[in-house]
């Protein structure tokens, strides 16, 4: 397994753990937002190191989308899914 594959696997596991933890009743929206901003910081660091279209950044985009969904659920609102170009920037609009 390559370093990038291991990194993606670790990030995916952490995103699922974070989302599950944040979905508990006792967790405030503010705490969930702090976690989201932490993931955004990870994305910025990854973008600088490997480029915004790297597999690592795409994985982090998906983690942020998952955490956004948890926050929206806590707020009781429906949040529109991110555009496919955010999660899969190599696809065209017609393919999404």
């Amino acid at each position: 397994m390559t370093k990038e594959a291991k990194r993606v696997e670790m990030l995916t596991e952490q995103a699922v753990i974070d989302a599950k933890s944040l979905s508990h009743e006792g967790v405030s929206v503010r705490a969930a937002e702090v976690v989201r901003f932490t993931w955004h910081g990870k994305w910025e660091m990854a973008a600088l190191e490997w480029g915004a279209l790297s597999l690592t950044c795409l994985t982090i985009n998906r983690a942020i989308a998952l955490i956004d969904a948890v926050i929206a659920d806590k707020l009781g609102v429906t949040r529109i899914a991110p555009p496919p170009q955010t999660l899969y920037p190599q696809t065209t609009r017609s393919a999404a």
Side-chain angles (χ1 to χ4, degrees), residues 8 15 20-21 29 32-37 42 47 51 62-64 66 70 75 81 84 87 92:
V8 166
K20 283 182 180 180
S21 299
V29 172
E33 288 173 342
V34 168
V35 172
R36 189 210 184 278
F37 290 130
K42 289 179 185 182
R62 293 178 188 142
I64 292 170
L66 181 61
V70 171
L75 293 173
L87 300 178
T92 63

Side-chain angles (χ1 to χ4, degrees), residues 11-12 15 36 39-44 46-47 51-69 81-90:
L11 287 169
T12 302
R36 189 210 184 278
W39 276 95
H40 183 71
K42 289 179 185 182
W43 185 88
E44 288 180 349
L53 296 179
S54 69
L55 187 56
T56 301
C57 282
L58 295 177
T59 303
I60 294 171
N61 280 342
R62 293 178 188 142
I64 292 170
L66 181 61
I67 292 167
D68 281 345
Q85 293 79 10
T86 302
L87 300 178
Y88 308 100
Q90 71 277 11

